[in-house]
Amino acid sequence: MPQPISRDLDPQAAATDAPPGARLAGAGAAGGGPGNAVRRRRPSLHAGRSAGILIGLVAVCVYLGITQPVFLTWGNVTNIVQSNSVILVLALGATFVIIAGGIDLSAASALAVTGMVLAIGLEAGLGTTLSLLLTLAAGLLAGLVNGALISYLRISFLVVTLGTLSIFASLALVLNDGQTITTFGLEGFDPIYAFTLESVAGIPYVLIFDVAIVALGGFLLRYTAFGRAVFALGSNREAARLNGINVAATTLLVYVIAGLAAGLASVLSVGRLTAAAPTQDATLLLTVIAAVLIGGTAYTGGEGGVLGTVVGVLFLGVIQNGLTLASVSPYWRGTVNGLVLIVAVGIGVMRETGVLARLRRRHGGPVRA
């Protein structure tokens, strides 16, 4: 059964308490013509669904600020930003895919193979600019492969991205016989190193980059026809098609964005680690998906936003930083991320199935998640 369109995309349905998507499905019959309902919708950056995790983030920060004095120092704050920029960029790409009703299981493998492309380019003496262009091209190609197979051959996104997860991981190993490439000292690496680890006026360059890419992602989702199409696609694919949205092209583009995000993230990863490894942390994909979902993006698609994803990344990053400051083994990170993911998605399911609304009526007051 098609998923109902988000109330945030259908203000009139929300105001009248009509079933979500009723106006989208009936736009043509109402005389507005195909596409009019889609053009009228303007999805918000959506902070409502992430309000609960935002409160949790503030509470954790207050607790760590009291128990770990070093937590609130500027040096530690910049460390959190730099440590989680790779996850943030990957999560922004994943946000587009999940809002559109899909998922990309190959993100970590795409990061590995594009990172190897960058290191091989630097090692071959191609210089900074050409190596970066090749890296982004590799990410673009990875996204095109996923998007084309899913949108035009209509293969399940789970099957495609599970397959490309294995293919990209294998290619990353093949490119240098499974060996890590150390980039420190290579010609052309210095600008990348400076960008990822240095700062201007005390503000890390990577923080400026993060703000810029978040702003760009928010602009695309909120103020463009493409962004509205992404939300409509995740809410109800058939209704989106009937309203004139090119479903195949939109699907292709969201996976291309995810591929480009992997390429950008690999630059940050190689710059920070001063090396390109053919394998990645086994928990990276879980962390990326967890950050998107706990930030309020619906796992069924159609709802979410980049600000929620930022909150999700910060929450997981602060938790990890707190564990490190408390001298807790980093091996607990996967457990924490998994538990937070289950709780966050469970709350989302309760919201969508009406459990929270029933609790609200039973207790006679608002129940917020």
Side-chain angles (χ1 to χ4, degrees), residues 4-341:
I5 192 163
S6 163
R7 289 180 179 272
D8 297 290
L9 301 180
D10 201 349
Q12 185 162 342
T16 60
D17 207 28
R23 288 186 57 78
L24 177 62
N36 285 355
V38 174
R39 287 193 295 270
R40 281 195 296 270
R41 289 189 304 274
R42 176 164 291 182
S44 68
L45 292 184
H46 216 298
R49 289 178 62 93
S50 60
I53 201 67
L54 180 59
I55 294 172
L57 173 61
V58 172
V60 171
C61 288
V62 170
Y63 172 78
L64 290 176
I66 295 173
T67 60
Q68 303 290 338
V70 72
F71 174 76
L72 294 178
T73 62
W74 181 244
N76 188 61
V77 171
T78 58
N79 177 58
I80 294 174
V81 171
Q82 292 170 332
S83 300
N84 291 278
S85 288
V86 170
I87 294 172
L88 174 63
V89 175
L90 287 176
L92 289 175
T95 300
F96 281 81
V97 174
I98 295 175
I99 289 176
I103 200 166
D104 184 3
L105 300 177
S106 68
S109 296
L111 172 71
V113 72
T114 53
M116 293 300 293
V117 169
L118 173 61
I120 290 173
L122 293 172
E123 194 175 44
L126 298 182
T128 307
T129 302
L130 185 54
S131 296
L132 289 175
L133 289 177
L134 286 175
T135 303
L136 295 180
L140 175 65
L141 179 60
L144 280 173
V145 170
N146 283 336
L149 292 175
I150 294 167
S151 59
Y152 292 104
L153 294 187
R154 299 188 179 182
I155 304 174
S156 166
F157 58 81
L158 289 175
V159 173
V160 170
T161 59
L162 187 60
T164 54
L165 178 156
S166 179
I167 293 171
F168 297 157
S170 177
L171 288 176
L173 291 168
V174 168
L175 285 174
N176 197 48
D177 294 326
Q179 301 299 309
T180 296
I181 301 176
T182 300
T183 55
F184 191 79
L186 293 179
E187 182 182 355
F189 178 67
D190 286 348
I192 297 173
Y193 179 81
F195 175 72
T196 53
L197 291 175
E198 294 184 5
S199 60
V200 55
I203 301 176
Y205 289 114
V206 73
L207 175 57
I208 299 173
F209 171 79
D210 289 345
V211 171
I213 198 169
V214 167
L216 176 61
F219 174 81
L220 286 176
L221 280 177
R222 179 177 171 82
Y223 294 107
T224 67
F226 167 70
R228 293 189 289 275
V230 170
F231 277 95
L233 188 63
S235 296
N236 191 318
R237 294 177 69 89
E238 182 60 18
R241 184 187 66 80
L242 292 174
N243 279 271
I245 292 175
N246 189 327
V247 172
T250 304
T251 302
L252 177 66
L253 283 175
V254 296
Y255 282 96
V256 166
I257 289 173
L260 285 172
L264 286 172
S266 71
V267 176
L268 299 178
S269 177
V270 171
R272 178 172 174 77
L273 301 176
T274 67
T279 57
Q280 293 294 326
D281 181 359
T283 65
L284 178 60
L285 179 62
L286 169 64
T287 304
V288 169
I289 295 176
V292 176
L293 296 182
I294 70 175
T297 296
Y299 70 95
T300 52
E303 293 189 60
V306 297
L307 290 185
T309 295
V310 172
V311 173
V313 171
L314 286 176
F315 182 81
L316 295 179
V318 167
I319 290 291
Q320 176 59 25
N321 182 255
L323 293 176
T324 301
L325 293 177
S327 300
V328 177
S329 170
Y331 298 131
W332 284 105
R333 177 174 184 169
T335 300
V336 173
N337 290 354
L339 288 173
V340 172
L341 174 61

